[in-house]
Each structure stands twice: as structure tokens, then as C-alpha cells.
Amino acid sequence: MITLAGCSATPSTGDADDAALTAEDSPLSEYLEASYSAGLSPEDEDKKDAAVWDAGEELIAECMKDQGFEYTPAAYISENTVTVDEGDWRPDDEDWVAEWGYGITDIPARHMSADEAAPDGAGTNPNLDYLGTLSPVELEAYLEALEGPPADAEELVDGENVYNWEESGCRGLAYHEVVGEQADLSEFDGLWGQIHAFEKDLVDAPEFADLDAAWSSCMSDAGESGFTRQEDARQSITDAMPEPEEAPEGGAAAAEYENPMDDPEVAELHERETELALIDLECRTKTDYSQSALRIQFELEEQFIEDHKTELEAYKLAAEQAG
């Protein structure tokens, strides 16, 4: 366990040659991502996803034409494509935090032009102009043809809609034809239940107690008492945000709708956010919080892997074969 004492704690950075840890270094992620990557490299996985997407979009267009509607296939956007400059999100940079805090009451993306946020129109729906020509009745029919009819209350399971490709319109039909039947991995439901329980309990793991105590002591010394865990500071801003009104979907009401972030109350809260976030950043730096927390998390993940090695290896193999 890493033991720290208040603000006087000396950051534990490990060997000088060690690279900084990131969330991508998670040892458990090797198993959790198996069902998505199927053992492929990121480049090959991206090519596979692009091929599936393009084939699916073409089938959707054919299906919608049969239903009497126009549909322009949307371009595939790789998860590896950065559509917003990574430099616009720097929660560990003092200058950035001084301007944006935690990025709750305001975010850089709100102040970017459409071209900056999505270069070359990436991510825009090529069917918007056509949809604007449809009457409300035609639009409803269009959406039902594309996505299937809305679920009735009787069809919900535990309040959620259970996906059925046969009831999911042209999109469901198209991707079922491209991807086919999904492999049955239900034998691993018990393992996933244990994984979800582990992830839920991770937040309150006692191994973080010393680190959080050091951070909390630092915050108190800086005049911000009452925060037991580091995430409590950020959550306090989220909790203070006014309840937003539901945005209307169209018409005059939509034109008059005001973004909750433009509320004067939110602007006032923004000042509090940046002030608190700067103190939080200073204390995280003094206690080496981010790196220490990742080391603790990864140690706990390694123990979980050791305790469930057989099941995890079996799941990884089955998921890769299914992919």
C-alpha cells in the first residue's frame, strides 16, 4: 500500500525510466476488450469496423429505398480519428484548469466553430436536408422504417428495451445481414457479474484510504475541507448545477430554448469550479494522486485476474473465436 501523509507527501514516481501510467495500461482491459477486438491489432480492428459499417450503410440505403424513402449512407468515422484537438482537453494543466475547471459548467467545444469541432463535416448526418423536406407524418414513418417501431411499455424488461434485430427496421436488418448471429457467450454471465461487482467496489476499496487521506488533508490545509475522496470535489460542482430543462425537439419552442450553460447561475458556479479545481490540481500534484491511484487500481486488477485466471482466459479465447 502507498502511504502518504498530508501535503508533505513526496510523489512516488517509481524508477526514473518508468513511463507514466495511463488507463490504457489496465491489465484487466486485455480480457474485457477481447469481445471487441477479437485479438486484432487496432489497425486491423479499425479496417474490420469500417468494412462492416460501409456494407451496413449500403444495405440500409437499399432497404429504405424499398420502403419509399431516400437514404444517403453515412461515412465511417474511426475511433482513432481525432475530430477535436486533443489539446482542448487538459484537466492536469494549470492554465487549462484555470479557464475550464473540471469542464462541467463550460467546455472548450462550446466555443469552437463547426469546422473546428468536426473537420470536413465528419460526423454530420448526410440525410438532414432530406429529412427537412418531410412532413411530421412522413418523418415518423421514415424513422420507423429506419429504426423500427417504438417499444411499448409491455415490451420493456426492467425498464429497458431489449434489442431485437427483427424489430429494428432497416438498420437492424442490414447489420444482422452483415454481422450475422452473435455468438452465445452467456456461459460467462457469472464472470461478468463478478467483473461488474469488482468495478463497482473499486471506488471504495480500502487500499485508496491513505492516498485519499493525504489528498483530503492537503485540501483542508488550502481551505477546502469536507472532501473525503478526490472525486468528491468534482461531484460537488456537478451536484450544484441547476436541473436542466428538457430541450424541445423542434418548432418555436426549440428556437427559444436556452442552453443551461448560459444560465447566469451556471456562470457564477463556473468561478467556484475553477477555484476548487485549481486547489484540487495542486493537491493531486503534491500527492502524486493520478499515478498513485492507477498503481493501486492495477494492483487490485492483478489480484482479481489471479483469482479468476481460468475463467478470464476461457472468456478471452471464446470471445476472440466468436469475433
Side-chain angles (χ1 to χ4, degrees):
M1 177 180 293
I2 299 171
T3 303
L4 301 170
C7 286
S8 62
T10 301
S12 174
T13 57
D15 296 335
D17 294 334
D18 286 349
L21 295 173
T22 68
E24 285 70 29
D25 296 317
S26 161
L28 189 55
S29 66
E30 175 187 349
Y31 299 94
L32 304 188
E33 294 175 358
S35 59
Y36 303 104
S37 67
L40 299 175
S41 68
E43 294 76 14
D44 288 340
E45 182 184 356
D46 196 52
K47 291 179 181 178
K48 174 185 174 183
D49 290 343
V52 169
W53 176 273
D54 291 342
E57 286 293 298
E58 290 296 333
L59 288 174
I60 291 174
E62 294 176 11
C63 176
M64 291 296 286
K65 182 178 180 180
D66 291 341
Q67 299 289 325
F69 297 105
E70 294 180 17
Y71 182 88
T72 301
Y76 172 74
I77 302 176
S78 169
E79 291 186 1
N80 300 321
T81 300
V82 179
T83 55
V84 177
D85 185 354
E86 289 180 343
D88 287 325
W89 194 262
R90 305 188 306 276
D92 294 321
D93 178 82
E94 184 176 359
D95 292 337
W96 190 94
V97 172
E99 184 171 4
W100 305 107
Y102 296 110
I104 297 174
T105 57
D106 201 1
I107 54 177
R110 290 187 65 226
H111 304 272
M112 299 173 66
S113 68
D115 289 339
E116 290 175 317
D120 301 324
T124 57
N125 186 342
N127 295 286
L128 288 179
D129 289 342
Y130 171 68
L131 294 179
T133 67
L134 301 180
S135 69
V137 173
E138 290 171 330
L139 179 59
E140 182 178 355
Y142 174 95
L143 294 176
E144 182 166 335
L146 178 62
E147 306 287 356
D152 295 329
E154 293 79 10
E155 298 174 348
L156 301 181
V157 177
D158 295 329
E160 297 184 0
N161 184 26
V162 177
Y163 177 77
N164 179 351
W165 70 268
E166 295 177 305
E167 299 293 334
S168 299
C170 288
R171 192 181 302 281
L173 178 66
Y175 285 100
H176 176 76
E177 183 170 335
V178 173
V179 178
E181 293 288 349
Q182 297 297 301
D184 183 7
L185 298 176
S186 59
E187 64 178 293
F188 299 102
D189 287 351
L191 173 63
W192 273 100
Q194 292 173 314
I195 292 172
H196 292 152
F198 168 77
E199 292 177 334
K200 180 179 179 181
D201 294 342
L202 189 63
V203 177
D204 298 315
E207 286 81 359
F208 290 99
D210 288 347
L211 179 58
D212 279 323
W215 173 86
S216 179
S217 176
C218 179
M219 293 290 286
S220 294
D221 291 346
E224 293 291 351
S225 59
F227 297 118
T228 304
R229 302 179 305 181
Q230 190 272 325
E231 58 265 27
D232 292 344
R234 176 188 175 92
Q235 187 62 41
S236 71
I237 302 300
T238 300
D239 293 342
M241 284 284 286
E243 191 71 26
E245 297 181 7
E246 185 174 351
E249 295 184 358
E256 297 175 359
Y257 175 76
E258 295 184 1
N259 191 311
M261 287 186 176
D262 294 328
D263 189 320
E265 183 180 344
V266 175
E268 183 177 340
L269 179 61
H270 182 72
E271 296 182 13
R272 165 61 180 159
E273 177 184 5
T274 54
E275 176 187 9
L276 177 62
L278 280 170
I279 296 174
D280 179 7
L281 175 60
E282 181 179 1
C283 287
R284 283 189 282 125
T285 301
K286 288 181 176 180
T287 58
D288 189 33
Y289 194 96
S290 297
Q291 288 296 293
S292 296
L294 284 176
R295 282 192 288 271
I296 294 171
Q297 175 186 331
F298 294 167
E299 288 174 6
L300 293 173
E301 288 185 8
E302 291 285 7
Q303 183 60 56
F304 181 87
I305 292 172
E306 182 179 339
D307 294 340
H308 302 83
K309 187 72 172 179
T310 301
E311 304 101 302
L312 286 167
E313 290 290 351
Y315 169 77
K316 182 173 182 290
L317 178 61
E320 289 178 349
Q321 292 177 339

